[in-house]
Amino acid sequence: MNKVMSRTAPKATNRTPHPRHRPPTRHDTRRPGGAPPRKPSIRGLRDDMPPVVPRNTDTARATPETALPPARPTDLFADRLLAVLSGQRPVHWMLRHTTGQAYDDLTRLAERSPLRTRGARPVVHDIGYYVPAEGALEVFARIAAGGQLRALAFRLERGQDLRWRCTAVETGPRP
């Protein structure tokens, strides 16, 4: 037996007939007319797409591909130590980033607030470092506040968990 399917003409009614080749649309009064289209995931696009080259470099904005690289540990620790030693942050803010002896030194130094200034806020002017051994950095920083330059020195060591920790802190003599 052969089965034949045929379409019949829609009956004339007040309703507008829906095409029979797709399901009927939803008519729900509790929701807005339609959801906005979803944006594709940026992670999925980064692998497949070439880097974006701006046409006009004057008006180009920073994209994730052209964003600044992650900060070095020397820069991060210099900024963090400056915040503590200038009185902008409490000493315990550095607790998990220092070892026992360095935390004691930092506490002793922070009581005197050696990098606190009147007027201009101190900023890291220059940073240099020396690598005495694998996984260790001896860092010096010049701190500028107004017309004054001050010195900050600290040692960073990488632990078993691959995190950098401050193991020693010193500042220059106060003028």
Side-chain angles (χ1 to χ4, degrees), residues 2 9 16 18 26 33 46-47 53 56 58 63 65-67 84 90 92 98 113 121-122 138 147-148 159 161 169 171:
N2 294 335
T16 308
H18 293 288
R26 180 177 175 159
R46 282 186 191 155
D47 300 334
V53 178
N56 185 356
D58 296 337
T63 61
E65 290 82 13
T66 61
V84 171
H92 69 268
T98 56
S113 298
R121 188 176 202 170
E138 291 183 356
Q148 298 178 348
D161 57 356
V169 181
T171 59

Side-chain angles (χ1 to χ4, degrees), residues 32 34-35 40-41 43 67 73 75 81-82 89 91 108 114 137 155-156 161 166 171:
S41 171
R43 288 183 184 173
D75 299 342
L81 289 170
L82 175 61
R89 293 280 187 168
V91 179
R108 179 182 46 82
L137 297 172
R155 180 180 172 96
L156 299 177
D161 57 356
C166 183
T171 59

Side-chain angles (χ1 to χ4, degrees), residues 89-147:
R89 293 280 187 168
V91 179
H92 69 268
W93 186 59
M94 288 293 293
L95 184 60
R96 56 184 272 196
H97 303 291
T98 56
T99 59
Q101 180 63 37
Y103 185 75
D104 295 340
D105 293 343
L106 186 61
T107 304
R108 179 182 46 82
L109 286 171
E111 288 175 356
R112 295 181 295 147
S113 298
L115 301 179
R116 181 175 296 202
T117 59
R118 291 189 177 105
R121 188 176 202 170
V123 293
V124 177
H125 180 69
D126 189 23
I127 295 178
Y129 64 93
Y130 170 71
V131 182
E134 182 70 29
L137 297 172
E138 291 183 356
V139 185
F140 64 89
R142 292 181 187 101
I143 308 299

Side-chain angles (χ1 to χ4, degrees), residues 60-74:
R61 293 185 181 181
T63 61
E65 290 82 13
T66 61
L68 296 173
R72 295 178 292 194
T74 55

Side-chain angles (χ1 to χ4, degrees), residues 149-170:
L149 276 179
R150 295 187 182 165
L152 171 66
F154 55 96
R155 180 180 172 96
L156 299 177
E157 292 182 8
R158 188 181 291 219
Q160 296 277 339
D161 57 356
L162 301 179
R163 290 178 51 203
W164 290 98
R165 288 189 178 81
C166 183
T167 57
V169 181
E170 291 182 12

